[in-house]
Amino acid sequence: MTNNRTPRGKGSEVHGIFEKIAGYYDRMNFVMTLGRHERWCREVAARLAPPAGGQLLDLATGTGVIALAAARSYPAAAVTGVDFSEEMLNRAKAKPGADAVRWQHADAACLPFENESFDGITEGYLLRNVEDLDGVLREQYRVLKPGGRIVILETCPPSGLVKPVVDWGVRVFVPLLGQVVARDRSSYSYLESSTLAFKSPQHIARILSGLGFKNIGWRKKFFGTNVILWATKPR
């Protein structure tokens, strides 16, 4: 079953940006995180801990870094990587090991899967790019089996004593790197603003709790600008 709904509103703008940056997305992630991005993706997969032979879903799979890490970590599992950007999926499908993942074009706001279809869900940098944060997380709760876990990699607004320095660094260097590395300052100006304007882990945790998730936790990364969150759907 597929879902080819055309993004509208903010979704249309974000879709256009990710179609545009697909060719240099991995390179920019490497540069912006000083090489840490793939390590975080492996940690996301490792925190999933699904049952043997489980069904796993990676949302906003992009170029497939988390999905491929999950496929390597759990070779007996069936991994599905979903994204609304066809260009991102094309990049993912061309990577070594891509045959181990089922790639699907779909919108995270309206997932084309039955209730309680997956034993675990991962996602990378999805939530800051959606219009209805609660609705997208509600969809994940719907398709997750009882006892299943979600693990989220997301940007995080800096806080504490380092906030002024990190704010300045993100505002200046992310668009500059976009210009130097990708020749695309405008797209990375959007990514800079969405990073600084996004919700705190505490806010996401409150939404997850309100939806019914339990055992919620998180760990910040890279001067507090990124975070890995996890939560479990009760049995």
Side-chain angles (χ1 to χ4, degrees):
M1 184 176 181
T2 60
N3 176 4
N4 293 317
R5 189 178 71 176
T6 302
R8 299 179 184 278
K10 178 183 177 181
S12 179
E13 175 190 358
V14 173
H15 178 266
I17 288 173
F18 281 95
E19 290 281 279
K20 183 180 178 183
I21 69 175
Y24 43 83
Y25 185 71
D26 287 340
R27 184 164 67 250
M28 279 297 296
N29 279 341
F30 180 89
V31 173
M32 288 192 301
T33 66
L34 300 182
R36 292 170 171 82
H37 179 253
E38 288 206 18
R39 188 192 317 163
W40 299 340
C41 292
R42 291 194 297 270
E43 180 178 339
V44 168
R47 287 185 175 278
L48 203 54
Q55 296 282 334
L56 307 181
L57 175 64
D58 182 42
L59 294 174
T61 196
T63 58
V65 180
I66 295 176
L68 291 168
R72 289 190 295 267
S73 298
Y74 313 107
V79 181
T80 300
V82 165
D83 205 283
F84 75 161
S85 166
E86 298 91 336
E87 285 300 318
M88 286 287 189
L89 288 173
N90 288 337
R91 298 282 172 174
K93 293 173 184 177
K95 289 187 171 181
D99 289 347
V101 178
R102 177 193 176 203
W103 306 103
Q104 185 162 348
H105 177 226
D107 188 339
C110 185
L111 293 171
F113 305 114
E114 300 295 331
N115 294 348
E116 300 180 2
S117 294
F118 295 96
D119 298 282
I121 299 174
T122 55
E123 62 189 71
Y125 307 123
L126 166 67
L127 300 180
R128 67 174 178 167
N129 292 309
V130 302
E131 291 183 287
D132 183 3
L133 183 57
D134 295 50
V136 166
L137 289 171
R138 189 176 298 111
E139 270 289 88
Q140 294 177 45
Y141 190 90
R142 179 184 68 81
V143 302
L144 188 63
K145 294 179 183 179
R149 174 178 281 194
I150 66 169
V151 187
I152 300 166
L153 173 62
E154 200 38 273
T155 55
C156 180
S159 60
L161 295 176
V162 300
K163 176 177 169 53
V165 175
V166 175
D167 274 357
W168 178 83
V170 171
R171 292 184 191 282
V172 172
F173 285 107
V174 171
L176 180 61
L177 285 172
Q179 176 63 38
V180 172
V181 176
R183 301 293 189 267
D184 184 359
R185 188 181 187 93
S186 61
S187 293
Y188 281 89
S189 294
Y190 162 76
L191 296 177
E192 164 261 312
S193 62
S194 66
T195 295
L196 295 177
F198 191 57
K199 307 298 184 183
S200 67
Q202 292 87 343
H203 183 95
I204 304 302
R206 285 194 294 271
I207 296 175
L208 292 169
S209 178
L211 292 172
F213 284 102
K214 305 295 183 184
N215 303 322
I216 301 165
W218 65 85
R219 177 175 292 178
K220 291 185 178 181
K221 305 286 185 180
F222 204 45
F223 307 107
T225 59
N226 285 256
V227 63
I228 296 175
L229 303 100
W230 54 88
T232 301
K233 182 175 179 176
R235 293 187 183 277

